[in-house]
């Protein structure tokens, strides 16, 4: 069989076997070899976008698995075959016959989730559900998928730009948070940095250059701390490894973007990690004590993730200390085993066990959130909402009066806490005590809070609670209770209505009912029955009006075309009232040098506003057109020297709103336009029009808005740039 492949391919098999012997405890080399040859046969003749044989991709995925997440021989075989069912003639049954059920099940799980992450619309929610189900069945499915995605990201250059951006966004928004959820710290960082390279290449290159230029200085600075810290700790009898570490690019990028800082404003680029060769947790605290005797700590930065680990099992002491020259240095202290779990997460469990079962307690803790999500979600929309909430939230640790700890997302409220205890406790919540003091139900809890929930049998969830709570479980339970209450009201109202109409011996179709109650804002029969049950409407009056309406001829309904024409006419009139182009503006808005009582208007091509550098161009009909000086229509040198160009300045007393254009480029995702328009509305600015064009995961939008001056417009544009998913915001220039 070895003669069937050339020396180059045999070399790749040898590399995989060597890595297996080095990184796996008990690798079934025969299984790996059989998988390798099946992979070669299945992909023979296929090419990747780069032009290299497709066969190289699964081989590299297997090598990444062995290097980054060493699991077992079954995982290596599945990694080699992860595209076989999808891309070749081999079937699940073929894999079972050749390699066994365990390998075939993992490959089938990988095939089911292939491609389901590329669309984040709610219509794809069932695909996400399948992914979680595959993970719950065998966690190795998602771990191999991470390696597959990592190799794709490392070789993304060969794809067209629009596909690179789409895959990079998906990696940043789905794979990186999922990797974090499974404790894969090293892989999460690489996902984020590689994604940044394609989402914002200019900023990526800028930051990379800055970090490289400061590398020698950073290493020299940290070494002046690392050497004495190491020596001092070894004198105390500790065996340690002290590492200097740089803040990764995506982390710097986020801090600059979210806090509106320059690179020079980021002062926590330095970090030190102390890995203690011990199994004693007490040694970590002792090491912290010795270090902070020499370097003053910053108390508010201290976090004990050893006593209270993160949801993904991560353990470490975090703090910040003041180093030489007053620089703030991030400090992490952990044991060697904690470090392996911080880097490898769930995959680290394979290092300490000969065999991992599907019911292993440690593996189960990683998957508990997925099981709860699958169980609780009763619709595609609810599932997607919970999926995103579970990926992205930060955590706090809150305690019951008895001292039991609950892990909650940051910004959680007493209502969230109540539902975390039990559904009935949440439904009956009327108040809460935090650390012995009564607080409002919308109060935000903090780590370490002791929370007591006050309940009443007469309480029921309120619709307003949905605006307060942040946990997926609380949202689902509140909606379920409200929906059940509404269902009961509708049934009660329906019964009341049937009794009322029974005595009339007449039929009242739903359309007749709705026609009579529209004035109350009622749009559906369900709304009507609910209002009837709540005594918000008089059923006898509705019957009387319906009877009277049958005696009068109804006016002919307008066609959709007629309604559309009315809307068009209205918009045209409104635009004529507001159009600033071609209509002489108020004379006091600008001052035209050497001229008075002359008509002028603002050029639509560049939309000047007060504060812009402007000039005037006298048209053939004697009207001065006001342009921005950088407008392409007046930037020609010969034109600028023309006698028809006049000097123009703004009148400082102007208090008029001017029309301006903005071009926005960003990620085409659900809710982003709503975020953009919300920013504009809060800025007390009116929108005249929005035009959008979306393609391949991106959108280009043109906004026409009314602003008072250029400074106001610049401030608004800065706010729009901070909207998550917005890449660029520019003035429209012809």
């Amino acid at each position: 069989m070895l003669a069937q492949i050339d020396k180059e391919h045999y070399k790749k098999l040898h590399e995989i076997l060597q890595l297996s012997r080095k990184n796996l405890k008990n690798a079934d080399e025969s299984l790996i070899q059989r998988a390798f040859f099946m992979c070669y046969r299945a992909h023979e003749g296929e090419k990747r976008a780069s032009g290299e044989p497709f066969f190289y991709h699964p081989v590299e995925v297997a090598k990444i698995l062995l290097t980054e997440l060493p699991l077992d021989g079954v995982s290596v075989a599945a990694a080699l075959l992860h595209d076989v069912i999808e891309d070749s003639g081999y079937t699940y049954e073929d894999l079972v016959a050749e390699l066994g059920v365990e390998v075939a099940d993992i490959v089938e799980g990988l095939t089911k989730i292939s491609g389901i992450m590329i669309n984040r619309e709610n219509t794809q929610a069932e695909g996400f559900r399948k992914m979680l189900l595959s993970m719950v069945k065998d966690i190795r499915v998602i771990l191999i998928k991470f390696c597959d995605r990592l190799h794709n990201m490392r070789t993304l250059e060969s794809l067209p730009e629009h596909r690179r951006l789409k895959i990079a966004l998906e990696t940043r928004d789905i794979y990186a948070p999922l990797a974090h959820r499974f404790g894969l710290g090293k892989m999460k960082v690489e996902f984020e940095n590689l994604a940044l390279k394609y989402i914002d290449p200019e900023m990526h290159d800028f930051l990379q250059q800055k970090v490289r230029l400061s590398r020698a200085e950073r290493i020299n600075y940290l070494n002046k701390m690392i050497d004495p810290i190491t020596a001092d700790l070894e004198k105390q009898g500790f065996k340690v490894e002290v590492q200097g570490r740089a803040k990764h690019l995506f982390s710097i990028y986020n801090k600059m973007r979210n806090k509106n800082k320059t690179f020079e404003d980021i002062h926590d680029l330095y970090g030190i990690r102390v890995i203690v060769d011990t199994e004693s947790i007490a040694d970590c605290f002792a090491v912290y004590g010795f270090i902070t005797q020499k370097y003053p700590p910053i108390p508010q930065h201290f976090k004990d993730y050893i006593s209270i680990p993160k949801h993904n099992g991560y353990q470490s002491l975090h703090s910040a200390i003041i180093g030489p020259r007053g620089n703030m240095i991030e400090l992490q202290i952990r044991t060697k085993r904690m470090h392996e779990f911080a880097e490898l997460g769930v995959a680290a469990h394979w290092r300490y066990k000969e065999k991992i079962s599907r019911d292993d307690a440690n593996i189960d803790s990683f998957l508990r959130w997925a099981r709860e999500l699958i169980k609780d979600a009763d619709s595609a929309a609810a599932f997607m909402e919970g999926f995103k909430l579970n990926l992205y939230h930060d955590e706090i640790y809150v305690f019951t009066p008895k001292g039991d700890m609950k892990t909650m997302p940051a910004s959680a409220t007493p209502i969230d806490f109540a539902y975390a205890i039990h559904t009935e406790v949440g439904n009956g919540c009327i108040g809460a005590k935090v650390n012995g003091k009564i607080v409002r139900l919308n109060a935000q809890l903090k780590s370490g809070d002791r929370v007591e929930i006050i309940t009443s049998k007469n309480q029921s969830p309120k619709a307003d609670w949905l605006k307060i709570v942040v946990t997926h479980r609380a949202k689902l339970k509140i909606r379920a209770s409200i929906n059940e209450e509404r269902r009961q009201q509708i049934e009660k109202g329906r019964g009341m209505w049937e009794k009322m109409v029974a005595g009339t011996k007449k039929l009242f179709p739903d359309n007749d009912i709705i026609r009579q109650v529209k004035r109350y804002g009622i749009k559906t029969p369900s709304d009507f029955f609910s209002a009837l049950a709540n005594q918000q409407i008089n059923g006898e009056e509705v019957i009387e009006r319906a009877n009277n309406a049958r005696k009068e001829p109804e006016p002919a309904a307008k066609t959709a075309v007629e309604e559309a024409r009315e809307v068009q006419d209205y918009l045209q009139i409104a635009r004529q009232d507001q159009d600033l182009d071609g209509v002489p503006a108020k004379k006091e808005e600008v001052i035209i040098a050497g001229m008075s009582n002359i008509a002028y208007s603002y050029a639509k091509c560049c939309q000047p506003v007060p504060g812009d550098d402007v000039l005037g161009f006298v048209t053939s009909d004697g009207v001065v057109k006001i342009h921005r000086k950088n407008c392409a229509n007046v930037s020609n040198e010969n034109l600028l020297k023309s006698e028809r160009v006049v000097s123009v300045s703004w009148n400082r007393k102007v208090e008029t709103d001017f029309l301006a254009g903005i071009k926005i480029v960003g990620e085409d995702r659900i809710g982003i336009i709503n975020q953009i328009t919300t920013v504009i509305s809060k800025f007390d600015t009116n929108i005249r029009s929005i035009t959008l064009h979306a393609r391949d995961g991106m959108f280009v939008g043109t906004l026409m808005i009314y602003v008072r001056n250029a400074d106001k417009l610049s401030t608004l544009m800065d706010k729009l740039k901070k909207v998550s998913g917005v890449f660029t915001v520019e003035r429209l220039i012809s």
Side-chain angles (χ1 to χ4, degrees):
M1 187 177 289
L2 294 181
Q4 295 177 12
I5 61 175
D6 58 30
K7 289 182 179 179
E8 179 64 26
H9 294 133
Y10 179 74
K11 182 181 176 183
K12 291 187 178 298
L13 172 60
H14 182 69
E15 288 174 356
I16 289 175
L17 292 176
Q18 284 289 93
L19 285 170
S20 298
R21 291 164 192 153
K22 178 183 176 183
N23 295 326
L24 303 183
K25 283 190 175 182
N26 296 307
D28 185 342
E29 293 191 14
S30 173
L31 179 73
I32 294 171
Q33 285 189 38
R34 295 200 307 275
F36 182 91
F37 292 125
M38 179 179 275
C39 172
Y40 176 76
R41 293 193 300 270
H43 298 300
E44 191 172 10
E46 295 177 22
K47 300 284 186 182
R48 297 190 81 205
S50 62
E52 69 179 9
F54 187 88
F55 167 73
Y56 288 1
H57 167 64
V59 169
E60 290 303 314
V61 172
K63 287 166 67 175
I64 289 172
L65 182 76
L66 283 164
T67 306
E68 305 283 345
L69 305 175
L71 303 177
D72 53 22
V74 169
S75 302
V76 178
L80 286 166
L81 299 171
H82 72 272
D83 283 325
V84 164
I85 294 179
E86 184 179 6
D87 295 340
S88 75
Y90 285 106
T91 64
Y92 171 81
E93 288 72 23
D94 294 331
L95 266 68
V96 171
E98 182 74 20
L99 300 160
V101 173
E102 196 172 5
V103 172
D105 281 348
I106 295 174
V107 175
E108 185 183 44
L110 286 159
T111 304
K112 284 180 179 178
I113 68 173
S114 178
I116 65 171
M117 290 183 173
I118 62 175
N119 192 329
R120 290 178 294 280
E121 300 286 345
N122 282 352
T123 53
Q124 294 295 314
E126 191 53 38
F128 284 90
R129 195 191 297 263
K130 285 181 181 177
M131 181 192 68
L132 293 190
L133 285 169
S134 296
M135 286 161 42
V136 169
K137 187 176 180 182
D138 196 320
I139 201 169
R140 288 173 291 187
V141 171
I142 194 64
L143 298 180
I144 296 170
K145 190 65 182 175
F146 286 144
C147 297
D148 176 35
R149 174 45 59 106
L150 189 54
H151 184 248
N152 285 335
M153 288 299 296
R154 288 175 178 176
T155 57
L156 209 55
E157 289 285 358
S158 55
L159 294 181
E161 183 179 359
H162 69 277
R163 287 195 62 198
R164 292 201 301 263
L165 179 62
K166 193 171 187 177
I167 292 171
L169 289 169
E170 173 187 306
T171 301
R172 182 196 68 185
D173 295 343
I174 301 296
Y175 283 88
L178 263 178
H180 173 67
R181 168 59 72 168
F182 285 101
L184 308 175
K186 186 179 176 183
M187 193 169 280
K188 168 187 174 285
V189 167
E190 188 168 357
F191 276 148
E192 289 175 338
N193 287 343
L194 287 171
L196 177 62
K197 180 179 178 181
Y198 298 102
I199 293 170
D200 195 340
E202 289 184 9
M203 183 58 77
H204 175 272
D205 293 345
F206 167 78
L207 292 176
Q208 194 171 55
Q209 184 181 17
K210 283 284 190 181
V211 170
R212 281 175 180 169
L213 288 173
S214 62
R215 184 174 184 273
E217 179 190 347
R218 184 176 66 251
I219 291 173
N220 183 52
Y221 179 88
L222 289 177
N223 281 343
K224 289 180 180 178
M225 294 182 67
I226 289 172
D227 293 341
I229 286 175
T230 304
D232 288 348
L233 291 175
E234 287 179 349
K235 282 181 184 177
Q236 301 298 329
F238 296 105
K239 187 177 179 183
V240 297
E241 178 186 353
V242 185
Q243 304 172 341
R245 55 188 195 86
K247 206 177 190 74
H248 68 279
L249 297 186
F250 186 77
S251 178
I252 299 171
Y253 172 82
N254 262 350
K255 197 157 193 175
M256 289 172 63
R257 184 181 175 92
N258 296 337
K259 298 190 176 181
N260 197 24
K261 291 186 174 184
T262 65
F263 181 84
E264 287 69 26
D265 292 331
I266 308 295
H267 300 300
D268 56 347
L269 295 172
Y270 302 115
I272 288 177
R273 178 181 294 138
V274 181
I275 302 170
V276 190
D277 191 0
T278 180
E279 293 298 319
S280 170
I281 291 175
D283 286 349
C284 293
F285 288 92
V287 165
Y288 174 78
F290 283 116
I291 292 174
T292 53
Q293 285 178 20
K294 186 170 186 178
Y295 300 101
I298 304 174
Q300 60 266 35
H301 285 261
F302 181 79
K303 293 178 182 176
D304 177 9
Y305 293 121
I306 292 180
S307 303
I308 305 176
K310 290 187 177 182
H311 65 272
N312 55 16
Y314 175 90
Q315 288 184 289
S316 186
L317 286 182
H318 284 202
S319 186
I321 55 177
I322 304 298
R325 303 197 300 271
N327 287 330
M328 187 176 83
I329 312 296
E330 290 185 342
L331 175 66
Q332 296 177 354
I333 303 171
R334 59 181 68 148
T335 67
K336 197 171 183 178
R337 182 161 178 165
M338 289 174 192
H339 181 61
E340 283 197 3
F341 275 79
E343 296 288 300
L344 301 177
V346 65
H349 292 284
W350 271 265
R351 291 284 185 93
Y352 295 96
K353 285 197 174 185
E354 295 293 326
K355 180 73 174 175
I356 297 289
S357 75
R358 294 179 182 178
D359 300 322
D360 185 272
N362 290 313
I363 302 298
D364 182 71
S365 66
F366 280 93
L367 294 173
R368 191 175 298 120
W369 67 276
R371 290 193 179 97
E372 290 177 356
L373 185 58
I374 295 167
K375 178 184 69 175
D376 287 342
D378 56 359
S379 68
F383 178 81
M384 283 303 298
E385 179 186 28
F387 185 78
K388 291 174 182 177
L389 280 174
N390 274 278
L391 280 186
Y392 292 103
H393 68 66
D394 293 326
E395 293 178 329
I396 59 174
Y397 306 96
V398 189
F399 297 88
T400 68
K402 294 182 178 180
D404 296 330
M405 187 184 75
K406 296 288 182 182
T407 302
M408 307 289 293
S411 303
T413 66
I415 301 176
D416 291 296
F417 183 81
Y419 278 105
I421 296 172
H422 195 278
T423 301
E424 293 305 316
V425 175
N427 288 343
C429 177
I430 60 170
K433 288 183 180 180
V434 175
N435 303 323
K437 295 181 179 179
I438 296 287
V439 299
R440 293 181 178 181
L441 291 180
N442 64 351
Q444 291 190 3
L445 302 177
K446 302 185 296 295
S447 271
D449 282 346
R450 188 176 294 269
V451 183
E452 179 184 350
I453 300 299
I454 304 167
T455 62
S456 169
K457 292 180 180 179
N458 299 322
Q459 176 69 303
S460 62
K462 305 293 186 290
D464 287 346
W465 287 8
L466 291 170
K467 300 175 184 177
I468 298 172
V469 297
V470 298
T471 59
H472 180 56
R473 176 180 174 81
K475 288 178 186 290
L476 284 178
K477 298 301 182 183
I478 292 168
R479 287 193 190 112
S481 178
I482 291 172
N483 289 340
E484 176 59 23
E485 186 176 343
R486 176 172 166 76
R487 186 192 67 78
Q488 292 175 2
Q489 290 293 329
I490 291 170
E491 290 301 314
K492 178 181 177 182
R494 191 190 304 275
M496 292 168 62
W497 178 250
E498 287 173 354
K499 288 180 180 178
M500 289 180 189
V501 300
T504 65
K505 299 181 180 180
K506 293 180 181 180
L507 294 176
F508 293 90
D510 288 347
N511 289 342
D512 286 356
I513 299 171
I514 298 305
R515 196 175 292 117
Q516 301 308 318
V517 295
K518 269 185 179 178
R519 70 186 71 182
Y520 302 107
I522 293 172
K523 298 178 180 179
T524 67
S526 295
D527 291 339
F528 170 68
F529 294 135
S530 180
L532 200 63
N534 290 321
Q535 298 181 347
Q536 295 170 343
I537 197 167
N538 188 314
E540 300 294 345
E541 289 181 6
V542 174
I543 292 173
E544 185 179 348
R545 282 200 300 270
N547 284 329
N548 293 335
R550 289 176 178 179
K551 300 172 185 178
E552 301 173 3
E554 293 186 13
K558 294 177 183 176
T559 66
V561 173
E562 289 171 333
E563 290 182 351
R565 282 176 181 164
E566 285 187 3
V567 172
Q568 292 258 355
D569 291 342
Y570 172 78
L571 288 174
Q572 188 172 359
I573 292 168
R575 284 171 181 156
Q576 287 173 350
D577 289 341
Q578 297 180 346
D579 200 348
L580 299 176
D581 186 56
V583 179
K586 294 179 181 179
K587 290 193 292 184
E588 68 270 15
E589 290 174 354
V590 295
I591 300 168
I592 302 174
M595 299 183 185
S596 60
N597 298 324
I598 186 169
Y600 61 89
S601 63
Y602 301 108
K604 188 177 286 186
C605 54
C606 56
Q607 304 289 356
V609 300
D612 289 332
D613 289 331
V614 291
L615 52 77
F617 185 78
V618 183
T619 64
S620 57
D621 57 3
V623 175
V624 176
K625 280 277 187 178
I626 311 298
H627 288 263
R628 289 161 61 192
K629 284 185 178 179
N630 62 351
C631 176
N633 290 336
V634 294
S635 60
N636 182 282
E637 287 188 16
N638 294 327
L639 183 62
L640 290 173
K641 293 176 182 178
S642 167
E643 293 180 357
R644 298 172 67 183
V645 174
V646 294
S647 177
V648 177
S649 61
W650 295 100
N651 187 338
R652 293 183 179 179
K653 296 180 181 179
V654 171
E655 293 186 356
T656 307
D657 285 333
F658 289 75
L659 192 64
I662 295 176
K663 179 183 176 183
I664 300 181
V665 179
E667 174 192 350
D668 182 23
R669 61 173 174 75
I670 296 172
I672 192 166
I673 299 305
N674 184 49
Q675 287 179 272
I676 290 170
T677 54
T678 298
V679 169
I680 295 173
S681 65
K682 288 181 179 178
F683 201 72
D684 196 24
T685 297
N686 291 323
I687 303 173
R688 175 174 171 177
S689 66
I690 298 179
T691 305
L692 294 175
H693 299 283
R695 183 183 177 187
D696 297 321
M698 288 182 61
F699 78 86
V700 178
T702 301
L703 276 72
M704 304 304 297
I705 59 175
Y706 291 101
V707 292
R708 188 59 55 90
N709 53 52
D711 288 340
K712 292 281 188 182
L713 181 60
S714 178
T715 303
L716 174 60
M717 290 170 64
D718 287 340
K719 289 183 180 294
L720 291 172
K721 288 175 184 176
K722 295 177 183 178
V723 173
S724 178
V726 168
F727 302 146
T728 60
V729 181
E730 302 171 343
R731 281 281 296 273
L732 280 179
I733 300 176
S734 173

